[in-house]
mmCIF file of all heavy atoms in Angstrom:
data_model
loop_
_atom_site.group_PDB
_atom_site.id
_atom_site.type_symbol
_atom_site.label_atom_id
_atom_site.label_comp_id
_atom_site.label_asym_id
_atom_site.label_seq_id
_atom_site.Cartn_x
_atom_site.Cartn_y
_atom_site.Cartn_z
ATOM 1 N N VAL A 1506 -24.647 -10.986 -1.685
ATOM 2 C CA VAL A 1506 -26.084 -11.157 -1.539
ATOM 3 C C VAL A 1506 -26.724 -9.783 -1.635
ATOM 4 O O VAL A 1506 -26.621 -8.978 -0.714
ATOM 5 C CB VAL A 1506 -26.422 -11.801 -0.172
ATOM 6 C CG1 VAL A 1506 -27.920 -11.966 -0.013
ATOM 7 C CG2 VAL A 1506 -25.687 -13.120 0.000
ATOM 8 N N PRO A 1507 -27.361 -9.460 -2.770
ATOM 9 C CA PRO A 1507 -28.011 -8.152 -2.872
ATOM 10 C C PRO A 1507 -29.289 -8.108 -2.042
ATOM 11 O O PRO A 1507 -30.073 -9.052 -2.055
ATOM 12 C CB PRO A 1507 -28.303 -8.021 -4.363
ATOM 13 C CG PRO A 1507 -28.344 -9.412 -4.881
ATOM 14 C CD PRO A 1507 -27.474 -10.247 -3.986
ATOM 15 N N ILE A 1508 -29.449 -7.023 -1.304
ATOM 16 C CA ILE A 1508 -30.653 -6.807 -0.502
ATOM 17 C C ILE A 1508 -31.265 -5.491 -0.955
ATOM 18 O O ILE A 1508 -30.595 -4.457 -0.939
ATOM 19 C CB ILE A 1508 -30.324 -6.739 1.006
ATOM 20 C CG1 ILE A 1508 -29.629 -8.024 1.461
ATOM 21 C CG2 ILE A 1508 -31.590 -6.496 1.814
ATOM 22 C CD1 ILE A 1508 -29.126 -7.972 2.890
ATOM 23 N N ALA A 1509 -32.522 -5.524 -1.342
ATOM 24 C CA ALA A 1509 -33.188 -4.317 -1.819
ATOM 25 C C ALA A 1509 -33.333 -3.300 -0.695
ATOM 26 O O ALA A 1509 -33.603 -3.661 0.455
ATOM 27 C CB ALA A 1509 -34.557 -4.662 -2.387
ATOM 28 N N LEU A 1510 -33.136 -2.042 -1.037
ATOM 29 C CA LEU A 1510 -33.383 -0.970 -0.076
ATOM 30 C C LEU A 1510 -34.880 -0.916 0.215
ATOM 31 O O LEU A 1510 -35.701 -1.289 -0.605
ATOM 32 C CB LEU A 1510 -32.927 0.370 -0.641
ATOM 33 C CG LEU A 1510 -31.418 0.558 -0.758
ATOM 34 C CD1 LEU A 1510 -31.116 1.842 -1.517
ATOM 35 C CD2 LEU A 1510 -30.770 0.599 0.606
ATOM 36 N N GLY A 1511 -35.231 -0.439 1.377
ATOM 37 C CA GLY A 1511 -36.638 -0.263 1.710
ATOM 38 C C GLY A 1511 -37.183 -1.299 2.673
ATOM 39 O O GLY A 1511 -38.315 -1.168 3.137
ATOM 40 N N HIS A 1512 -36.399 -2.328 2.967
ATOM 41 C CA HIS A 1512 -36.860 -3.316 3.940
ATOM 42 C C HIS A 1512 -36.772 -2.744 5.349
ATOM 43 O O HIS A 1512 -35.898 -1.947 5.661
ATOM 44 C CB HIS A 1512 -35.996 -4.579 3.894
ATOM 45 C CG HIS A 1512 -36.203 -5.410 2.683
ATOM 46 N ND1 HIS A 1512 -37.414 -5.953 2.337
ATOM 47 C CD2 HIS A 1512 -35.334 -5.813 1.718
ATOM 48 C CE1 HIS A 1512 -37.288 -6.646 1.226
ATOM 49 N NE2 HIS A 1512 -36.030 -6.576 0.826
ATOM 50 N N ALA A 1513 -37.638 -3.212 6.212
ATOM 51 C CA ALA A 1513 -37.579 -2.843 7.624
ATOM 52 C C ALA A 1513 -36.341 -3.482 8.253
ATOM 53 O O ALA A 1513 -35.815 -4.487 7.758
ATOM 54 C CB ALA A 1513 -38.834 -3.330 8.338
ATOM 55 N N ALA A 1514 -35.883 -2.894 9.355
ATOM 56 C CA ALA A 1514 -34.687 -3.386 10.037
ATOM 57 C C ALA A 1514 -34.800 -4.865 10.395
ATOM 58 O O ALA A 1514 -33.835 -5.626 10.252
ATOM 59 C CB ALA A 1514 -34.416 -2.547 11.284
ATOM 60 N N GLU A 1515 -35.978 -5.290 10.835
ATOM 61 C CA GLU A 1515 -36.168 -6.687 11.222
ATOM 62 C C GLU A 1515 -35.976 -7.622 10.027
ATOM 63 O O GLU A 1515 -35.451 -8.724 10.168
ATOM 64 C CB GLU A 1515 -37.573 -6.914 11.810
ATOM 65 C CG GLU A 1515 -37.873 -6.096 13.049
ATOM 66 C CD GLU A 1515 -38.253 -4.652 12.727
ATOM 67 O OE1 GLU A 1515 -38.848 -4.369 11.669
ATOM 68 O OE2 GLU A 1515 -37.930 -3.784 13.561
ATOM 69 N N VAL A 1516 -36.413 -7.187 8.863
ATOM 70 C CA VAL A 1516 -36.264 -8.001 7.655
ATOM 71 C C VAL A 1516 -34.785 -8.083 7.277
ATOM 72 O O VAL A 1516 -34.286 -9.156 6.916
ATOM 73 C CB VAL A 1516 -37.115 -7.427 6.499
ATOM 74 C CG1 VAL A 1516 -36.855 -8.174 5.205
ATOM 75 C CG2 VAL A 1516 -38.585 -7.464 6.868
ATOM 76 N N ILE A 1517 -34.086 -6.962 7.370
ATOM 77 C CA ILE A 1517 -32.651 -6.951 7.073
ATOM 78 C C ILE A 1517 -31.925 -7.936 8.002
ATOM 79 O O ILE A 1517 -31.091 -8.728 7.558
ATOM 80 C CB ILE A 1517 -32.054 -5.535 7.240
ATOM 81 C CG1 ILE A 1517 -32.690 -4.553 6.258
ATOM 82 C CG2 ILE A 1517 -30.540 -5.555 7.116
ATOM 83 C CD1 ILE A 1517 -32.375 -4.808 4.820
ATOM 84 N N GLU A 1518 -32.262 -7.904 9.281
ATOM 85 C CA GLU A 1518 -31.628 -8.819 10.237
ATOM 86 C C GLU A 1518 -31.897 -10.275 9.867
ATOM 87 O O GLU A 1518 -30.997 -11.114 9.920
ATOM 88 C CB GLU A 1518 -32.129 -8.535 11.652
ATOM 89 C CG GLU A 1518 -31.615 -7.230 12.217
ATOM 90 C CD GLU A 1518 -32.095 -6.981 13.632
ATOM 91 O OE1 GLU A 1518 -32.132 -7.937 14.435
ATOM 92 O OE2 GLU A 1518 -32.425 -5.822 13.938
ATOM 93 N N ARG A 1519 -33.121 -10.565 9.480
ATOM 94 C CA ARG A 1519 -33.472 -11.938 9.092
ATOM 95 C C ARG A 1519 -32.699 -12.373 7.850
ATOM 96 O O ARG A 1519 -32.219 -13.504 7.776
ATOM 97 C CB ARG A 1519 -34.979 -12.038 8.827
ATOM 98 C CG ARG A 1519 -35.591 -13.236 9.478
ATOM 99 C CD ARG A 1519 -37.059 -13.246 9.323
ATOM 100 N NE ARG A 1519 -37.507 -11.874 9.035
ATOM 101 C CZ ARG A 1519 -38.740 -11.481 8.922
ATOM 102 N NH1 ARG A 1519 -39.697 -12.317 9.050
ATOM 103 N NH2 ARG A 1519 -39.059 -10.247 8.670
ATOM 104 N N ILE A 1520 -32.591 -11.477 6.875
ATOM 105 C CA ILE A 1520 -31.838 -11.808 5.659
ATOM 106 C C ILE A 1520 -30.377 -12.066 5.999
ATOM 107 O O ILE A 1520 -29.778 -13.036 5.517
ATOM 108 C CB ILE A 1520 -31.977 -10.686 4.605
ATOM 109 C CG1 ILE A 1520 -33.422 -10.611 4.096
ATOM 110 C CG2 ILE A 1520 -31.017 -10.917 3.449
ATOM 111 C CD1 ILE A 1520 -33.725 -9.381 3.259
ATOM 112 N N LEU A 1521 -29.795 -11.219 6.834
ATOM 113 C CA LEU A 1521 -28.397 -11.411 7.229
ATOM 114 C C LEU A 1521 -28.210 -12.749 7.942
ATOM 115 O O LEU A 1521 -27.207 -13.437 7.723
ATOM 116 C CB LEU A 1521 -27.927 -10.258 8.122
ATOM 117 C CG LEU A 1521 -27.835 -8.892 7.444
ATOM 118 C CD1 LEU A 1521 -27.517 -7.808 8.465
ATOM 119 C CD2 LEU A 1521 -26.808 -8.899 6.321
ATOM 120 N N ASP A 1522 -29.160 -13.116 8.784
ATOM 121 C CA ASP A 1522 -29.103 -14.418 9.458
ATOM 122 C C ASP A 1522 -29.231 -15.560 8.457
ATOM 123 O O ASP A 1522 -28.465 -16.514 8.478
ATOM 124 C CB ASP A 1522 -30.224 -14.551 10.494
ATOM 125 C CG ASP A 1522 -29.957 -13.768 11.758
ATOM 126 O OD1 ASP A 1522 -28.793 -13.365 11.988
ATOM 127 O OD2 ASP A 1522 -30.918 -13.549 12.524
ATOM 128 N N ASN A 1523 -30.233 -15.457 7.588
ATOM 129 C CA ASN A 1523 -30.512 -16.548 6.647
ATOM 130 C C ASN A 1523 -29.363 -16.795 5.680
ATOM 131 O O ASN A 1523 -29.104 -17.936 5.311
ATOM 132 C CB ASN A 1523 -31.795 -16.277 5.865
ATOM 133 C CG ASN A 1523 -33.029 -16.426 6.713
ATOM 134 O OD1 ASN A 1523 -33.000 -17.057 7.768
ATOM 135 N ND2 ASN A 1523 -34.124 -15.830 6.291
ATOM 136 N N CYS A 1524 -28.696 -15.749 5.262
ATOM 137 C CA CYS A 1524 -27.604 -15.937 4.302
ATOM 138 C C CYS A 1524 -26.263 -16.146 4.999
ATOM 139 O O CYS A 1524 -25.259 -16.383 4.340
ATOM 140 C CB CYS A 1524 -27.535 -14.784 3.306
ATOM 141 S SG CYS A 1524 -26.834 -13.250 3.954
ATOM 142 N N ALA A 1525 -26.235 -16.057 6.322
ATOM 143 C CA ALA A 1525 -25.007 -16.217 7.104
ATOM 144 C C ALA A 1525 -23.924 -15.256 6.617
ATOM 145 O O ALA A 1525 -22.791 -15.645 6.359
ATOM 146 C CB ALA A 1525 -24.527 -17.671 7.069
ATOM 147 N N ALA A 1526 -24.287 -13.983 6.508
ATOM 148 C CA ALA A 1526 -23.361 -12.971 6.008
ATOM 149 C C ALA A 1526 -22.172 -12.802 6.942
ATOM 150 O O ALA A 1526 -22.315 -12.839 8.159
ATOM 151 C CB ALA A 1526 -24.086 -11.638 5.836
ATOM 152 N N SER A 1527 -21.014 -12.611 6.346
ATOM 153 C CA SER A 1527 -19.795 -12.311 7.099
ATOM 154 C C SER A 1527 -19.525 -10.821 7.132
ATOM 155 O O SER A 1527 -18.744 -10.352 7.954
ATOM 156 C CB SER A 1527 -18.600 -13.014 6.452
ATOM 157 O OG SER A 1527 -18.763 -14.404 6.476
ATOM 158 N N LEU A 1528 -20.131 -10.088 6.207
ATOM 159 C CA LEU A 1528 -19.939 -8.640 6.100
ATOM 160 C C LEU A 1528 -21.191 -8.048 5.481
ATOM 161 O O LEU A 1528 -21.825 -8.676 4.631
ATOM 162 C CB LEU A 1528 -18.722 -8.334 5.210
ATOM 163 C CG LEU A 1528 -18.368 -6.861 4.998
ATOM 164 C CD1 LEU A 1528 -17.728 -6.287 6.262
ATOM 165 C CD2 LEU A 1528 -17.403 -6.702 3.827
ATOM 166 N N ALA A 1529 -21.539 -6.840 5.892
ATOM 167 C CA ALA A 1529 -22.640 -6.110 5.266
ATOM 168 C C ALA A 1529 -22.101 -4.769 4.792
ATOM 169 O O ALA A 1529 -21.391 -4.082 5.526
ATOM 170 C CB ALA A 1529 -23.787 -5.899 6.244
ATOM 171 N N VAL A 1530 -22.423 -4.413 3.574
ATOM 172 C CA VAL A 1530 -22.088 -3.096 3.024
ATOM 173 C C VAL A 1530 -23.413 -2.394 2.797
ATOM 174 O O VAL A 1530 -24.251 -2.860 2.022
ATOM 175 C CB VAL A 1530 -21.286 -3.205 1.711
ATOM 176 C CG1 VAL A 1530 -20.920 -1.824 1.197
ATOM 177 C CG2 VAL A 1530 -20.027 -4.041 1.918
ATOM 178 N N VAL A 1531 -23.606 -1.291 3.517
ATOM 179 C CA VAL A 1531 -24.898 -0.601 3.507
ATOM 180 C C VAL A 1531 -24.713 0.862 3.128
ATOM 181 O O VAL A 1531 -23.614 1.402 3.207
ATOM 182 C CB VAL A 1531 -25.618 -0.709 4.872
ATOM 183 C CG1 VAL A 1531 -25.877 -2.168 5.240
ATOM 184 C CG2 VAL A 1531 -24.834 -0.024 5.972
ATOM 185 N N VAL A 1532 -25.811 1.480 2.745
ATOM 186 C CA VAL A 1532 -25.802 2.898 2.415
ATOM 187 C C VAL A 1532 -25.480 3.687 3.685
ATOM 188 O O VAL A 1532 -25.791 3.270 4.796
ATOM 189 C CB VAL A 1532 -27.163 3.308 1.792
ATOM 190 C CG1 VAL A 1532 -28.282 3.212 2.797
ATOM 191 C CG2 VAL A 1532 -27.094 4.679 1.176
ATOM 192 N N GLY A 1533 -24.800 4.800 3.524
ATOM 193 C CA GLY A 1533 -24.438 5.646 4.661
ATOM 194 C C GLY A 1533 -24.738 7.096 4.342
ATOM 195 O O GLY A 1533 -25.578 7.402 3.500
ATOM 196 N N GLY A 1534 -24.035 7.984 5.002
ATOM 197 C CA GLY A 1534 -24.191 9.404 4.748
ATOM 198 C C GLY A 1534 -25.545 9.908 5.192
ATOM 199 O O GLY A 1534 -26.084 9.488 6.205
ATOM 200 N N ASP A 1535 -26.114 10.800 4.378
ATOM 201 C CA ASP A 1535 -27.376 11.426 4.769
ATOM 202 C C ASP A 1535 -28.598 10.708 4.201
ATOM 203 O O ASP A 1535 -29.701 11.221 4.263
ATOM 204 C CB ASP A 1535 -27.380 12.897 4.360
ATOM 205 C CG ASP A 1535 -27.168 13.085 2.861
ATOM 206 O OD1 ASP A 1535 -27.005 12.083 2.142
ATOM 207 O OD2 ASP A 1535 -27.143 14.250 2.424
ATOM 208 N N ASP A 1536 -28.417 9.520 3.664
ATOM 209 C CA ASP A 1536 -29.553 8.741 3.174
ATOM 210 C C ASP A 1536 -30.449 8.391 4.363
ATOM 211 O O ASP A 1536 -29.966 7.937 5.399
ATOM 212 C CB ASP A 1536 -29.049 7.460 2.494
ATOM 213 C CG ASP A 1536 -30.155 6.729 1.771
ATOM 214 O OD1 ASP A 1536 -31.101 6.263 2.441
ATOM 215 O OD2 ASP A 1536 -30.068 6.612 0.536
ATOM 216 N N PRO A 1537 -31.760 8.600 4.242
ATOM 217 C CA PRO A 1537 -32.666 8.316 5.362
ATOM 218 C C PRO A 1537 -32.625 6.864 5.838
ATOM 219 O O PRO A 1537 -32.918 6.579 6.994
ATOM 220 C CB PRO A 1537 -34.052 8.657 4.818
ATOM 221 C CG PRO A 1537 -33.856 9.383 3.556
ATOM 222 C CD PRO A 1537 -32.455 9.139 3.084
ATOM 223 N N ALA A 1538 -32.257 5.949 4.952
ATOM 224 C CA ALA A 1538 -32.206 4.525 5.332
ATOM 225 C C ALA A 1538 -30.916 4.171 6.064
ATOM 226 O O ALA A 1538 -30.806 3.082 6.624
ATOM 227 C CB ALA A 1538 -32.332 3.657 4.083
ATOM 228 N N ALA A 1539 -29.928 5.076 6.070
ATOM 229 C CA ALA A 1539 -28.598 4.747 6.586
ATOM 230 C C ALA A 1539 -28.617 4.271 8.030
ATOM 231 O O ALA A 1539 -28.057 3.221 8.355
ATOM 232 C CB ALA A 1539 -27.668 5.946 6.436
ATOM 233 N N GLY A 1540 -29.235 5.019 8.914
ATOM 234 C CA GLY A 1540 -29.233 4.663 10.324
ATOM 235 C C GLY A 1540 -29.852 3.318 10.611
ATOM 236 O O GLY A 1540 -29.206 2.442 11.208
ATOM 237 N N PRO A 1541 -31.108 3.089 10.200
ATOM 238 C CA PRO A 1541 -31.741 1.793 10.485
ATOM 239 C C PRO A 1541 -31.007 0.606 9.857
ATOM 240 O O PRO A 1541 -30.887 -0.448 10.479
ATOM 241 C CB PRO A 1541 -33.148 1.945 9.885
ATOM 242 C CG PRO A 1541 -33.398 3.414 9.871
ATOM 243 C CD PRO A 1541 -32.061 4.056 9.646
ATOM 244 N N LEU A 1542 -30.494 0.774 8.629
ATOM 245 C CA LEU A 1542 -29.755 -0.323 7.990
ATOM 246 C C LEU A 1542 -28.491 -0.642 8.765
ATOM 247 O O LEU A 1542 -28.180 -1.805 9.038
ATOM 248 C CB LEU A 1542 -29.379 0.043 6.552
ATOM 249 C CG LEU A 1542 -30.475 0.001 5.517
ATOM 250 C CD1 LEU A 1542 -29.964 0.526 4.186
ATOM 251 C CD2 LEU A 1542 -30.986 -1.413 5.360
ATOM 252 N N ALA A 1543 -27.724 0.390 9.089
ATOM 253 C CA ALA A 1543 -26.472 0.192 9.817
ATOM 254 C C ALA A 1543 -26.722 -0.421 11.187
ATOM 255 O O ALA A 1543 -25.993 -1.324 11.613
ATOM 256 C CB ALA A 1543 -25.730 1.523 9.945
ATOM 257 N N GLU A 1544 -27.758 0.047 11.868
ATOM 258 C CA GLU A 1544 -28.079 -0.501 13.195
ATOM 259 C C GLU A 1544 -28.451 -1.973 13.104
ATOM 260 O O GLU A 1544 -28.003 -2.792 13.911
ATOM 261 C CB GLU A 1544 -29.219 0.292 13.828
ATOM 262 C CG GLU A 1544 -28.820 1.668 14.291
ATOM 263 C CD GLU A 1544 -30.012 2.498 14.756
ATOM 264 O OE1 GLU A 1544 -31.130 1.948 14.879
ATOM 265 O OE2 GLU A 1544 -29.803 3.697 14.999
ATOM 266 N N ALA A 1545 -29.286 -2.317 12.120
ATOM 267 C CA ALA A 1545 -29.704 -3.713 11.960
ATOM 268 C C ALA A 1545 -28.503 -4.595 11.651
ATOM 269 O O ALA A 1545 -28.343 -5.677 12.240
ATOM 270 C CB ALA A 1545 -30.752 -3.826 10.844
ATOM 271 N N ALA A 1546 -27.650 -4.151 10.741
ATOM 272 C CA ALA A 1546 -26.468 -4.945 10.380
ATOM 273 C C ALA A 1546 -25.514 -5.064 11.566
ATOM 274 O O ALA A 1546 -24.965 -6.141 11.825
ATOM 275 C CB ALA A 1546 -25.774 -4.318 9.177
ATOM 276 N N ALA A 1547 -25.304 -3.980 12.297
ATOM 277 C CA ALA A 1547 -24.384 -4.010 13.442
ATOM 278 C C ALA A 1547 -24.913 -4.929 14.547
ATOM 279 O O ALA A 1547 -24.128 -5.609 15.213
ATOM 280 C CB ALA A 1547 -24.163 -2.596 13.976
ATOM 281 N N ARG A 1548 -26.230 -4.962 14.735
ATOM 282 C CA ARG A 1548 -26.810 -5.867 15.745
ATOM 283 C C ARG A 1548 -26.532 -7.328 15.397
ATOM 284 O O ARG A 1548 -26.262 -8.147 16.263
ATOM 285 C CB ARG A 1548 -28.326 -5.661 15.847
ATOM 286 C CG ARG A 1548 -28.735 -4.620 16.857
ATOM 287 C CD ARG A 1548 -30.227 -4.698 17.181
ATOM 288 N NE ARG A 1548 -31.096 -4.564 16.042
ATOM 289 C CZ ARG A 1548 -31.523 -3.401 15.530
ATOM 290 N NH1 ARG A 1548 -31.140 -2.267 16.072
ATOM 291 N NH2 ARG A 1548 -32.336 -3.383 14.492
#
Side-chain angles (χ1 to χ4, degrees):
V1506 179
I1508 302 173
L1510 289 172
H1512 288 301
E1515 300 79 31
V1516 174
I1517 298 293
E1518 289 181 40
R1519 226 174 339 185
I1520 293 169
L1521 293 173
D1522 284 344
N1523 288 341
C1524 76
S1527 298
L1528 180 74
V1530 182
V1531 300
V1532 67
D1535 58 359
D1536 189 296
L1542 285 174
E1544 288 173 9
R1548 270 195 303 274

